[in-house]
Amino acid sequence: MKNYLIGGLICLVAALVFGIKPVQRAINEATNRGTLRGAETCMDYSESELLALEAIKATCVQSFQKRLYGNDYATGRAGPRMDQRTVGWGGILENKTPDHVTTWIRISVSIFDVGGTEREFFAETPIWIDPLSEAEFQVQLPELEREQLDDIEFCDHEDEARTACMTWGVTEVMGLTI
């Protein structure tokens, strides 16, 4: 009880010295990290005449998102997307969880040559996938060249010795708890 009283007095003094909004922001950041509520509250505090609502949302989501663990946070189907200049990767991802919003992903694309040597390429992108929903994504892989994908198929999941094929997967996922 004594600690709560001291904490309350410190908050009251800080509110009087710095103002209410900075103290509310600090409390929000400390208590709501990783939650949708924290990002929403951040947006409420970030009213700006100069910034677009989407820019404020992106900043608040990036500040409050947390790393998610498990294989079901973002799964889906995707493949190479050829542009005139670069190679991209895109498709549809599904969020199979009922209690998280997926906000950021990192994907890995692996190309295996005929000798079985693997070259791995990474890309990351912000994304918004509501719980139990899906969304399209596309990323650029500037290090990957078109010629590396010529006449190459996806690897079979059962193959242990992968040769002359490609695979991909979501390696990291960040999001917000509802």
Side-chain angles (χ1 to χ4, degrees), residues 32-36 39 60-69 73 95 97 99-105 127-129 172-178:
N32 291 317
R33 176 117 358 242
T35 66
L36 186 62
C60 288
V61 166
Q62 184 178 9
S63 297
F64 280 84
Q65 68 189 359
K66 68 178 179 181
R67 190 166 316 285
L68 302 176
Y69 301 97
Y73 288 111
N95 177 355
T97 64
D99 59 348
H100 286 86
V101 174
T102 302
T103 59
W104 177 91
I105 58 165
I127 192 168
W128 189 271
I129 312 175
E172 291 183 59
V173 179
M174 296 184 87
L176 299 167
T177 302
I178 295 181

Side-chain angles (χ1 to χ4, degrees), residues 79-83 86-89 109-112 119 121 141 144-154 164-167:
R81 304 290 189 255
M82 301 299 179
D83 189 322
T86 61
V87 175
W89 201 267
V109 175
S110 294
I111 307 290
F112 296 89
R119 271 196 78 199
F121 304 90
L141 298 165
L144 185 59
E145 298 173 6
R146 300 178 128 222
E147 296 78 34
Q148 292 173 292
L149 297 174
D150 287 343
D151 301 323
I152 196 163
E153 299 291 327
F154 281 98
C165 62
M166 64 181 161
T167 64

Side-chain angles (χ1 to χ4, degrees), residues 27 43 71-72 83 87 101 108 125-126 141 156 169-170:
I27 290 170
M43 289 179 66
N71 295 333
D72 292 336
D83 189 322
V87 175
V101 174
S108 166
T125 187
L141 298 165
D156 288 332
V170 177

Side-chain angles (χ1 to χ4, degrees), residues 120-134:
E120 201 167 17
F121 304 90
F122 295 97
E124 53 191 51
T125 187
I127 192 168
W128 189 271
I129 312 175
D130 288 330
L132 303 173
S133 190
E134 59 185 33

